Amino acid sequence: MTEKKRETPLLDELEKGPWPSFVTEIKKSADKGNASSEDLLGVLERSYREKIGHWKHGGIVGVMGYGGGVIGRYNDLPDDFPGVAHFHTIRVNQPPGWFYTSDAIRKVCDIWEKYGSGLTNFHGSTGDLVLLGCRTEVLEDVFKELTDIGFDLGGSGSDVRTPSCCCGKARCEWACYDSMQVCYDVTMNFQDELHRPAFPYKWKFKFAGCPNDCVASIARSDMAVIGTWRDDIQVDQAAVADYAGSLDIAKDVTRRCPTRCMGWDGSTLSIDNENCVKCMHCINAMPKALSPGKDRGAAILVGGKAPIIGGALLSALFVPFINIDEDVEDLYELCEEMWDIWGEHGKNRERIGEFIQRVGLGNFLEQIGLDPIPEMVIHPRTNPYIFFELDEEEDE
Amino acid sequence: MSVDMSKRKTDIGPPHHEQFLPPVIKANYGKWKYHENPKPGVLVHVGETGDKLYSVRAATPRLVSIETLRLYADLADEFCDGYMRWTSRNNVEFLLTEEKNIEPLIGKLKAAGYPVGGTGASITNIVHTQGWVHCHSSASDASGVVKAVMDELFPRFENMDLPAKLRIAFACCLNMCGAVHCSDIAILAVHRHAPVVDHANLNSQCEIPNVVASCPTGAIRPATVDGNQSVEVIDDQCMYCANCFSVCPAMTLNDPDTDGISIWVGGKLSQARHVPMFSKLAIPYVPNNPPRWPEVVDAVKNLVEVYAKNARKFERMGEWIERIGWPKFFDLTGIEFTKYHLDDFTHAGESYNRSLHVRQR
């Protein structure tokens, strides 16, 4: 045990109240004698007093042969808090769907007890299992022991970031494709791109089994693969009638349909499936009665990102339907085509969504060999400044 | 280094999920029929054959010690053969087949400080970033704000009495590792002045052309200052995005006196009913006030309560505001509408009202 007398009056305020406390977590680790956790309490208390962080820019740290997976972090008060002088984060590629056994969890804990702060994030924002805080000299040992129990590092920097997915077919009747398996396959296919940054900037994949998008793919990934279907919603009319007792079906279901393609006459639910846009509201409201159709697959959207730097973007529809369980190779090809042109012409720190807006969607599609279709836009252009390509028209 | 480099493995990828799935999931993979939410924090999924899987969802602080992970492992062993998972919003879920184990598990989780809830029309865990625990560019702590806000909103976690689900996210700077930009309520820490340039060290730490190119508004240009090759910043052109700091540590944004928090509303991600929407600015700035950020807590609580009172069933925050109009939103919440609410970046014009569709006041 450390001899230091711990004084954290401000942090102690965050142990009050019903919500689980991160301060309690850090103390649990410090009470076990972890010097990093003890000094983390110290420096964090100081941040709370001074209203400023005490972490320096990363610097390049990592494991041999990888360019990503470790976020270097140093404290700016190493003399006061030597236990966190180095406090590097290790991103560990999580299992798809974030499923674990107690045995796997314990093995990870044992490694982190031996080498690190004893603190983790379950999970990081991108989806990784995050091991929070260790010294440079233990990185290779941690990596070796992680690979011995079957785990590898995730992405960081300008590479394929760790893909993530919803729990899909493992625990959801709405999964329109096997989001966990596709996520796993894509992760394995792009191991080189994941571990060795070579892009203009980061590239995130997220795989959601249905349009409810439980992994926020449309907002948080450069390529969002979202499950959908093409045929009719499956309806169990008897089960619909059962809902009528607890739900105002006309008011809360059919009149909330965005295309008003549903009707309820008090005994039968009718759906004009040609006009259904697969929004999921009616299915969410009556899960025992309705389910997605049987002709299931996924849509591919491209270019989502947070504001840095040209402003936030949602991903835009590129492929309205693909049988992704069978045709995942098509996704690989699409990625390679996009990475080629983005890698060649993208500016430093320019995400693909920004790149597409800069060069124009029409030009970009032409380069990657995808035909423009009306599903890609809310409406056609309203300005008349068209770049006519007379030479090419004559060639046709 | 003790590692024998010749025996080192690389590029093995993540463990395949199949080894972590309980038998009931393997048997029903892709064959689930429907699910129900019998009580807050408990889901039951029913397979085509009638098999049942019970998921018990508990809150975590996301930053968890290995002591707590081992506790979860022990509970999983005791009640569900060691099978568990985490949600995309950092809750832990225990995967049970025995219905009789649900209440004892909930009891032990609660006793250990990890309450059960966060399903259905509730407020679940707040997606958040690292803040002062680990980040170099944070304008606030993250975990502390989240803890203070969730303590206040706790009844909304343990109950399902909102018009619809309400998703809150927190990011400690506008890099947005928490990607808060499509949340019902987004809490976003912000810097509010131009970077302070460390002229003595800039040229040795950074590539000047990179620093200049990193600025989206062209506010940075090369300059010689006190004999040092460095850069100067046109303050009026800086929007504090910190992109320059990301490429160059000599451009400091962090400032205890002016950093603080902004609050945004009305974003959503799912396709249900309405297409996905960005969050929009509600409150440009409230001060950083650790350890419990009372101004932030009050502001978020007010938004939740006004929404809960006024929105209709199934209406998310953004759908409700769209129905009543933004003027009414500002009336009902008592939030002041200011110059800061008017966009002046790339797509600013898209948010101007170029119609007469207003409700006269």
Side-chain angles (χ1 to χ4, degrees):
Chain A
M1 286 293 285
T2 169
E3 297 300 317
K4 216 180 291 181
K5 187 173 183 317
R6 186 191 300 160
E7 282 184 16
T8 52
L10 293 173
L11 294 180
D12 294 349
E13 289 298 311
L14 288 167
E15 289 197 280
K16 299 171 182 169
W19 192 253
S21 168
F22 71 104
V23 174
T24 306
E25 297 295 324
I26 304 173
K27 285 187 178 176
K28 275 188 194 178
S29 182
D31 288 345
K32 283 277 178 180
N34 188 295
S36 287
S37 289
E38 192 67 53
D39 274 350
L40 181 62
L41 286 169
V43 77
L44 197 55
E45 178 72 16
R46 187 144 160 186
S47 283
Y48 269 63
R49 205 162 59 232
E50 298 172 354
K51 298 191 194 182
I52 195 162
H54 282 288
W55 302 102
K56 295 201 288 188
H57 237 271
I60 310 279
V61 289
V63 300
M64 190 93 73
Y66 281 12
V70 181
I71 313 302
R73 191 67 76 221
Y74 300 93
N75 199 269
D76 66 6
L77 303 165
D79 295 336
D80 294 345
F81 304 104
V84 291
H86 298 200
F87 202 62
H88 310 318
T89 286
I90 301 175
R91 290 185 181 160
V92 181
N93 196 142
Q94 80 287 1
W98 298 289
F99 284 90
Y100 297 90
T101 54
S102 53
D103 183 48
I105 289 287
R106 287 197 188 95
K107 285 177 180 166
V108 172
C109 290
D110 290 347
I111 295 172
W112 203 230
E113 178 168 39
K114 194 164 151 192
Y115 295 109
S117 68
L119 300 173
T120 71
N121 286 148
F122 268 67
H123 292 82
S125 282
T126 301
D128 298 274
L129 189 177
V130 172
L131 301 176
L132 200 62
C134 69
R135 295 189 60 83
T136 307
E137 54 269 23
V138 304
L139 289 170
E140 284 293 342
D141 294 282
V142 175
F143 178 58
K144 165 77 168 59
E145 296 202 18
L146 282 170
T147 53
D148 282 347
I149 63 166
F151 284 87
D152 198 349
L153 301 192
S156 67
S158 297
D159 62 11
V160 167
R161 297 297 184 88
T162 311
S164 73
C165 62
C166 67
C167 61
K169 293 193 171 192
R171 201 199 57 191
C172 187
E173 66 274 24
W174 297 330
C176 293
Y177 72 99
D178 193 344
S179 56
M180 289 179 15
Q181 185 61 44
V182 172
C183 181
Y184 180 79
D185 289 342
V186 170
T187 308
M188 295 310 288
N189 190 64
F190 293 127
Q191 279 291 294
D192 189 32
E193 289 82 356
L194 194 157
H195 296 303
R196 296 166 195 93
F199 294 149
Y201 202 13
K202 66 183 90 169
W203 175 283
K204 296 189 177 187
F205 282 112
K206 290 195 189 294
F207 301 88
C210 86
N212 282 330
D213 199 358
C214 287
V215 282
S217 68
I218 199 165
R220 303 184 67 166
S221 64
D222 299 271
M223 179 175 277
V225 180
I226 304 177
T228 187
W229 67 97
R230 288 191 291 200
D231 57 345
D232 295 355
I233 290 176
Q234 302 181 66
V235 184
D236 177 344
Q237 293 288 356
V240 174
D242 287 344
Y243 275 106
S246 58
L247 192 64
D248 186 336
I249 294 176
K251 175 165 165 277
D252 293 327
V253 182
T254 63
R255 263 183 259 146
R256 289 220 173 269
C257 170
T259 60
R260 299 289 176 96
C261 74
M262 319 184 78
W264 169 248
D265 63 7
S267 63
T268 306
L269 185 76
S270 57
I271 306 177
D272 168 15
N273 276 283
E274 265 193 23
N275 282 305
C276 169
V277 290
K278 283 66 177 169
C279 89
M280 291 294 292
H281 173 68
C282 59
I283 297 173
N284 292 340
M286 302 191 290
K288 284 177 89 167
L290 305 180
S291 54
K294 292 177 175 170
D295 183 13
R296 298 180 179 191
I300 298 177
L301 299 88
V302 175
K305 59 181 283 294
I308 292 292
I309 186 169
L313 295 171
L314 292 166
S315 278
L317 187 60
F318 267 45
V319 179
F321 192 88
I322 175 175
N323 184 354
I324 192 77
D325 289 325
E326 303 291 323
D327 299 331
V328 70
E329 300 280 339
D330 292 352
L331 181 148
Y332 301 157
E333 278 174 33
L334 188 61
C335 290
E336 308 275 4
E337 294 285 351
M338 288 197 265
W339 294 345
D340 270 355
I341 175 173
W342 176 51
E344 183 82 14
H345 300 287
K347 296 182 193 170
N348 186 33
R349 290 172 65 77
E350 183 177 44
R351 296 281 286 271
I352 191 109
E354 292 162 323
F355 175 73
I356 292 168
Q357 293 202 166
R358 180 162 65 82
V359 302
L361 179 60
N363 293 330
F364 184 77
L365 292 174
E366 209 164 63
Q367 291 295 320
I368 63 169
L370 213 56
D371 289 332
I373 52 171
E375 284 84 352
M376 291 175 175
V377 292
I378 296 167
H379 55 71
R381 74 159 71 218
T382 56
N383 71 69
Y385 308 125
I386 307 168
F387 290 99
F388 286 105
E389 295 165 344
L390 292 185
D391 294 348
E392 287 175 28
E393 282 180 28
E394 282 165 13
D395 289 345
E396 289 166 5
Chain B
M1 195 185 303
S2 57
V3 176
D4 178 352
M5 299 305 277
S6 65
K7 291 186 181 156
R8 199 165 164 273
K9 286 176 283 198
T10 68
D11 298 77
I12 64 169
H16 193 274
H17 43 273
E18 193 179 348
Q19 61 193 293
F20 300 137
L21 301 179
V24 65
I25 285 186
K26 284 186 188 164
N28 291 278
Y29 199 91
K31 296 177 198 159
W32 297 107
K33 192 159 185 280
Y34 66 90
H35 76 276
E36 292 180 297
N37 186 185
K39 61 180 279 188
V42 178
L43 299 171
V44 53
H45 285 78
V46 181
E48 287 166 1
T49 60
D51 283 354
K52 286 184 177 174
L53 170 68
Y54 302 94
S55 302
V56 174
R57 180 179 295 178
T60 85
R62 189 179 83 118
L63 196 173
V64 286
S65 66
I66 55 175
E67 315 309 323
T68 295
L69 291 171
R70 285 168 173 154
L71 167 74
Y72 295 158
D74 291 345
L75 291 173
D77 280 349
E78 186 176 350
F79 294 106
C80 49
D81 298 322
Y83 294 104
M84 56 182 137
R85 71 175 292 268
W86 270 260
T87 71
S88 56
R89 300 191 86 87
N90 311 313
N91 302 299
V92 62
E93 287 182 336
F94 296 84
L95 306 169
L96 288 68
T97 46
E98 298 291 334
E99 190 174 4
K100 65 177 168 46
N101 283 348
I102 295 174
E103 290 308 323
L105 171 61
I106 291 175
K108 286 207 173 178
L109 281 165
K110 280 188 178 171
Y114 304 96
V116 168
T119 57
S122 69
I123 295 176
T124 188
N125 213 336
I126 298 181
V127 168
H128 61 280
T129 55
Q130 302 288 21
W132 293 332
V133 170
H134 197 256
C135 183
H136 63 297
S137 64
S138 54
S140 172
D141 190 30
S143 311
V145 182
V146 167
K147 162 73 175 149
V149 170
M150 284 311 291
D151 276 342
E152 183 65 33
L153 299 179
F154 188 65
R156 300 289 185 188
F157 174 79
E158 282 200 311
N159 293 287
M160 305 191 290
D161 52 5
L162 284 166
K165 63 180 170 187
L166 193 148
R167 293 290 174 261
I168 307 179
F170 179 98
C172 57
C173 84
L174 44 70
N175 266 322
M176 278 195 202
C177 297
V180 301
H181 54 292
C182 294
S183 307
D184 293 286
I185 298 177
I187 310 171
L188 173 66
V190 288
H191 303 297
R192 294 193 302 153
H193 65 61
V196 176
V197 184
D198 178 1
H199 296 294
N201 292 310
L202 186 134
N203 197 30
S204 62
Q205 292 180 345
C206 320
E207 300 279 346
I208 288 175
N210 265 353
V211 182
V212 171
S214 72
C215 182
T217 64
I220 302 175
R221 56 193 178 196
T224 303
V225 182
D226 301 332
N228 298 300
Q229 279 196 306
S230 183
V231 299
E232 64 182 7
V233 181
I234 305 161
D235 284 7
D236 290 349
Q237 245 166 277
C238 176
M239 55 185 189
Y240 334 119
C241 72
N243 202 44
C244 57
F245 180 63
S246 288
V247 303
C248 177
M251 308 285 289
T252 307
L253 270 294
N254 297 351
D255 183 340
D257 296 326
T258 57
D259 287 349
I261 284 172
S262 60
I263 295 176
W264 306 67
V265 295
K268 76 187 276 287
L269 284 160
S270 82
Q271 304 287 322
R273 302 170 304 283
H274 195 292
V275 294
M277 290 188 271
F278 286 130
S279 310
K280 284 97 179 175
L281 181 64
I283 303 174
Y285 178 77
V286 285
N288 258 337
N289 200 354
R292 295 201 63 101
W293 284 267
E295 296 87 350
V296 177
V297 172
D298 287 349
V300 173
K301 171 100 171 166
N302 177 45
L303 287 166
V304 171
E305 293 309 316
V306 174
Y307 160 76
K309 192 173 159 208
N310 290 280
R312 294 175 184 162
K313 188 175 172 67
F314 288 123
E315 252 175 1
R316 296 282 294 269
M317 177 80 80
E319 294 170 285
W320 162 63
I321 297 171
E322 206 168 276
R323 175 169 59 79
I324 64 168
W326 285 95
K328 187 77 174 172
F329 167 82
F330 283 96
D331 275 353
L332 286 171
T333 56
I335 295 170
E336 186 190 4
F337 189 83
T338 71
K339 177 185 171 186
Y340 294 142
H341 291 86
L342 306 176
D343 194 352
D344 44 21
F345 193 50
T346 318
H347 307 296
E350 290 176 10
S351 61
Y352 302 167
N353 183 9
R354 299 179 197 274
S355 82
L356 266 181
H357 286 211
V358 289
R359 297 161 175 87
Q360 295 294 347
R361 284 189 279 174

